[in-house]
Amino acid sequence: MSGQSSPTFGNLDWEVTPYTDLLEHVNSSTIIGAGAASVLVLGAFAGIALLTYMRWWKPLFRDWLTSADAKKIGIMYIALALVMMARGIIEGLVMRAHQATALGALDKAETGLVAPDHFAQLFSTHGTIMIFFVAMPLLIGLINFVLPQQLGARDMAFPVLNQVSLGLTAAGAGLVMVSLLIGDFGTGGWTMYPPYTGLDYSPGEGVDYWLWAILISGVGSTLTGMNFAVTIFKSRAPGMHLMRMPLFCWTSLCVAIMLIYAMPALTVSSAMLALDRYAGFHFFTNASGGNMMNYANIFWMFGHPEVYILILPAFGVFSEISSTYSGKRLYGYTSLVIASMSIAVVSFMVWLHHFFTMGQSAGVNIAFGIATMIIGIPTGVKIYDWMATMWRGRVRITAPVVYLVGFFLLFVIGGLSGIILANPSIDYQVHNTTFLVAHFHNVIIPGVLYGMLAGVHYWFPKAFGFRLDESWGRRTALLFVGGFIFTFMPLYVLGLMGLPRRSPTFQDPDFLPWMYIASFGAVLMLAALFCLLWTFWKSYRHRMSLSVPGGDPWNGSSLEWSTPAPVPEWTFASIPKVQARGDWGETKRAGDPWRAPDSYADIEMPANTAHGLIIAGMAFALGFAMVWHIWWLAALSFFAITAALIWRGMRVIEPRIIPARQVEEEDRRFREYVAGATPITRADEESERNRGVPDCSEFAG
Amino acid sequence: MSSNNGLYPGLNLGSVHDEAHQQAEATVFGFWVFLMSDLIIFGILFASYASYLNPIGMAGAPGPQALFNLKSVAIQTAFLLFGGVAYAGVSLSMKYDHGAKKLIGWLLICALLGGGFLFFEISDFIDQAAKGGKPQASGWLSSYWLLVGLHGFHVFSGIVWILAMVGQILTRGVDDVVKVRLSMLGVFWHFLDLIWVGIFSFVFLVPLA
């Protein structure tokens, strides 16, 4: 980057790509940097070529990008998350490979696969991507897909706002992706603590990429939280009292409330850091009255609720699958509701445990340490509830159950290491070591990743009409479990041996065996990723024999299983009148669950619109322009966003009407299919005979 | 739900339009949730302001005694609060169907009062910058400018929204959607008064007391 800033292109010039570095020095670090950029460019070209060759542009635009249907928006969120996850896992592997080759000596500064600065970018993007652009889109996508169906609603309360939220998240993800090719990413870790990330120590575009990705996607997540909360409070089907909602809806409500209250803190801390960097303010600088502790406090006021935002939807998924796949009613429904809400509330009172060592008094540390240990209690209640649900159930070892069991084993270990870290005097010894890295991966991977993948597996047939291959699903799950154990258990040991986190090199040869084990684990994780993709591909190839038009492949009890698979755009031919908790299951008990509604009416659905797409494009342009100081483009895109909002407000927007005749026709066809199909028992669930019509007499949930 | 459930009687959404009421219910509730989220932002900024309000945070730069002009702040308060009162005119002409003209008239009065507030606030900012009170001078000044400036930006956005609503009334008439939006704009406009009461007391009066 040259010192001059041009009025047209800001700080951009031809020297910002990793290819420039490669031309200057050819070594493993620059080859990896240029290779990653090339994968991005080639991937983009391949995508464009595929869309053009298959003539998919029009369907993509018409059926997906402009759709305001929460189910499709949810699927797009999950697709975005899987793409980002591929990058995140590969980055993890590169980091493990680096550390396995990073045994250095005191007189040799640089060693290992990648350069120290490159390593710092890797752990910063890895953390940012995995939290904000994998975990968040996965859970928001899953909630978008499932929540309205479970509540008996046709859509979210604000469908177009939902589209805008997706667009903003994608714009943020796009910024992080573009940083592979154009310029560098920040090196301050996913938390980007100042003053290191202030202008004095981190000039250049790296931290700005993080800031704008976070600010833009953060607005999207805040709006999503509002949308979920309003949907749950105002759009439930008649009779769906709060205490009749499936557990997944309850955890979604907790997530919504936490997003509403926690995301603003992230927006504030990022905006303050941006003002420091762009306008010379002194919030977090060393000089002139700045105070970086304010950043730590505000960031973790968001950051701690965030980890429960990530984990609670997974708890919701586990509640659903432990009951369905055991053929038993969920044990302790009320206690699970209370535990979820307790976690949501207490999660706001523990943020300080992220910086015990940063100079508070012992009394303050102890108060937060105790609060942190208290949060383990409701979590423990939940684990016992799920185990009690499975106890003496007729458990089918499907892929989601493998994830669930892996979660039981590993999450409890992760939780226990959390309780250890919650003790301030122990924390002083192990903070900032790989012990901590092992701890949070130990809760986030078995919790969030397993939970979300189990959820994807569980609800996949509802979205696409065919089941996922169980054998490959189980192999994927086992690989993720094994990969986790090999990658992260050694990090506990290394942390106790004194290896600081984020170190590009180390001098103690005793670390090496553990490093090799961890690298082997990272290879397993990559294999798990390929196995996951293979599961999708193989299931797609066999979609006819795996299809479940009856829509209820697992003999479920909540409302979403009462509709065909794939679920029609309007979800319910007529809005159900809910009589009980687990209403669909109760209907099965009463006999003849697939009775047609007495009459059909026209259905209003939100009209397709490119509003979200336009806002996303402008938001991406705004972020990119701010990162590279292209002021005219920043101003232009800001005004374009405002103009788009005002313009939409001026227009009268008519909903799309789906005529009763069309609904009736499709619904009749579905009911005739179900009536003609042979119901299958649990034992046949994995066979080709499973057409989504279960034997209702077997239902015991 | 019966059509006589008394939801939002001030909006005149038409007594037989159940759906309009239910949609209004969700939309207005959603807007309250948004304001809760916004309130958190202001809450954190108030707390930050308090944390910089000490000799270390002021770092030798001009402080409250040197910079604050309470007379101008009182004038701003008057503009803003009368702007809030004027919005009652909007709500009442909506409730009693006084027609689009009166509605637009009241909206423009609100916008003018908001503009008066902004005029005095910006002159204060310019004056303070001239006295060495730029946001770049100290942590305390950074937090002062961000908190008060963000409120000012909200007032500006409120004025843009008012003008957008005038545009909507002119192009699409006073339909149900516009009525619901006017009621949300009212909530937003009064919310700004509420924040200002906090700013007036904690930002301006406390350091001078």
Side-chain angles (χ1 to χ4, degrees), chain A residues 471-484:
Chain A
S471 303
W472 280 99
R474 274 188 293 256
R475 279 168 209 156
T476 309
L478 286 171
L479 272 173
F480 270 123
V481 172
F484 169 80

Side-chain angles (χ1 to χ4, degrees), chain A residues 258-335:
Chain A
M258 292 192 325
L259 283 171
I260 293 163
Y261 286 112
M263 293 310 294
L266 179 67
T267 305
V268 171
S269 66
S270 309
M272 284 173 155
L273 184 55
L275 283 171
D276 272 10
R277 291 179 57 84
Y278 282 85
F281 280 41
H282 285 289
F283 286 113
F284 312 125
T285 53
N286 285 337
S288 303
N291 182 355
M292 80 75 59
M293 283 313 297
N294 278 347
Y295 185 88
N297 274 294
I298 300 171
F299 181 87
W300 287 112
M301 264 178 229
F302 146 79
H304 200 84
E306 167 72 9
V307 304
Y308 288 94
I309 289 171
L310 301 182
I311 200 77
L312 278 170
F315 287 176
V317 173
F318 288 135
S319 303
E320 303 291 311
I321 62 178
S322 63
S323 150
T324 304
Y325 287 119
S326 312
K328 268 184 72 186
R329 188 174 302 220
L330 186 64
Y331 180 87
Y333 174 91
T334 313
S335 68

Side-chain angles (χ1 to χ4, degrees), chain A residues 158 222 226 230 233-234 260-261 264-265 268 272 275 279-283 288-289 291 294 298 646 649-652, chain B residues 25-27 29-30 33-34 36-37 40-41 44 48 51-52 56 59 135-136 138-139 142-143 146 167-168 171-172 181:
Chain A
F158 307 114
T222 315
M226 290 161 39
V230 177
F233 282 123
K234 299 290 178 192
I260 293 163
Y261 286 112
V268 171
M272 284 173 155
L275 283 171
F281 280 41
H282 285 289
F283 286 113
S288 303
N291 182 355
N294 278 347
I298 300 171
I646 292 176
M650 295 285 179
R651 290 163 53 226
V652 178
Chain B
E25 174 81 2
T27 310
F29 176 68
V33 174
F34 167 76
M36 274 201 299
S37 208
I40 302 282
I41 290 187
I44 296 171
S48 306
S51 81
Y52 291 108
I56 297 173
Q136 290 86 354
S138 73
S142 298
S143 72
L146 178 57
Q168 290 184 20
T171 52
R172 57 192 285 176
R181 286 181 185 162

